[in-house]
Amino acid sequence: MADMASAGSSPFLDLSAGIPGDSKPAPWQRAAMGANLLSPGGSLGVTIFEEMTTLAVSTGAINLGQGFPDEDGPEEIKAAARRAIADGANQYAPGKGVPVLREAIAAHQHRFYGLKPDPDTEVLVTTGATEAIAATLLAFIQPGDEVLTFEPFYDSYGAIINMAGATHVTAPLPAPDFLPDLTVLEDSFSERTKIVLLNNPHNPTGAVFPAYVLSRIVELAAKFGAIIVSDEVYEHLTFDAAHTPIASLPGAAERTITVSSAGKTFSFTGWKIGWLTGPENLVAAVRTVKQFLTYSSGTPFQSAIAVGLGLPDEFYTGIAATLRHKRDILAEGLRAAGFGVFNPSGTYFINVDTAPLGIPDSVELARRLPGLVGVAAIPVPVFCHPEGAERTRSLLRFAFCKKTDVLEEAAERLATLKDRL
């Protein structure tokens, strides 16, 4: 994997000695290696998000690195949380989630996609999507198994795969469209493929997988007997076409766990309310693991998110339209800066190529950018294995889930980049 020792500017904590008398990597070391946080010598670094945030704070830069909104979501959801707290919903929730939220999740899946999960047996509420994915992977994988993800990949995927002792295999998403070559994708499967972990819409590239790609994933998963885990947290943040859950395709439902959360849709990332849906036997297995992680969380927030899931269609179309406008504001500034810009079809991330500026190394530019123009971003290579890091070496990711005036200011600053280099 890409060496975070080269991606992080903070000193590493030297833990290379490990546990006395034990030559094997500890689980925490495997997790760190999987997330690109451990150098070959065993030194522990900080995440690229922490490094870029520190640079943004120290330089007064606008932080378009980490993907979190800078304003709250709908007032009616916040009011529902306050009512729940006042009404005494402050103790443990049921392990599988409060009934009103499980029912709302099932209704959401039916309303938007025609899916009909049973709220009692096929829906599980989790502490964010991250726990849903972690509990699912820990439920099904072990040493000797392979987990296939697309690359670039969200860093927590690699951490959990490695911590569980499985092998992380990747299929590349090359620019400019960030869609997989289906022949390469098939070659990435093997008899040891236990899970194919899909993120659609995709972070960090902003790609939305079309039906033909999703259908081929289903066919290959069936051929090799793999479970599909579909991370769909950006499901309502698409610009060119409506989101298609892979579970809605023929042959997929019986082998698919679908994951989503309230953080991205409703801009309440700090509440950490996520969920998953799928066939009863798979959900039961994940619930067995999940109950020994957090057991339950966020009782008043759960009922509040149930209110959010019932908001009218205008809310959902509105958030996508607003993000499209914000994407276009930032894209204009990035083009003026001289970047090659890849317009995303979904999520709230936009990727650029630094090579047109004569800078082939996006990590180098990411470190300089806050001081140069007062904007922070994330280099894409840190989301990759070494080969993928080389392929994406000149790619940089910006988040546009910020207030319009902040993005306008960022665009103006970025437009000065060519003159400052």
Side-chain angles (χ1 to χ4, degrees), residues 288-304:
T288 301
V289 172
K290 181 261 186 299
Q291 67 185 346
F292 298 111
L293 297 176
T294 58
Y295 179 68
S296 71
S297 59
T299 303
F301 299 136
Q302 289 191 31
S303 57

Side-chain angles (χ1 to χ4, degrees), residues 100-142:
V100 67
L101 178 54
R102 286 186 280 110
E103 290 162 4
I105 292 165
H108 170 276
Q109 295 302 92
H110 183 244
R111 169 186 171 190
F112 286 100
Y113 311 124
L115 299 169
K116 298 181 179 180
D118 184 321
D120 289 327
T121 62
E122 297 180 327
V123 177
L124 178 64
V125 177
T126 59
T127 305
T130 302
E131 187 195 37
I133 293 163
T136 300
L137 292 174
L138 293 173
F140 296 113
I141 61 173
Q142 56 190 322

Side-chain angles (χ1 to χ4, degrees), residues 9-75:
S9 61
S10 300
F12 281 85
L13 176 62
D14 186 6
L15 298 171
S16 57
I19 301 172
D22 189 354
S23 60
K24 296 184 298 183
W28 72 265
Q29 290 172 313
R30 296 200 302 270
M33 286 187 287
N36 298 335
L37 290 177
L38 205 65
S39 75
S43 298
L44 182 65
V46 299
T47 69
I48 192 67
F49 304 105
E50 183 176 344
E51 180 188 353
M52 291 301 123
T53 296
T54 300
L55 276 174
V57 170
S58 66
T59 60
I62 296 171
N63 189 356
L64 303 186
Q66 196 161 4
F68 59 86
D70 59 358
E71 52 190 338
D72 289 342
E75 179 58 38

Side-chain angles (χ1 to χ4, degrees), residues 30 52 58 85 117 147 173 257 296 301 334 379 388 396 401-402:
R30 296 200 302 270
M52 291 301 123
S58 66
I85 292 170
V147 178
L173 300 177
I257 290 177
S296 71
F301 299 136
L334 292 167
L396 201 58
C401 50
K402 309 298 179 181

Side-chain angles (χ1 to χ4, degrees), residues 205-226:
T205 68
V208 175
F209 287 11
Y212 77 89
V213 171
L214 297 176
S215 295
R216 189 59 179 147
I217 293 170
V218 175
E219 292 168 357
L220 290 169
K223 176 181 177 181
F224 290 94

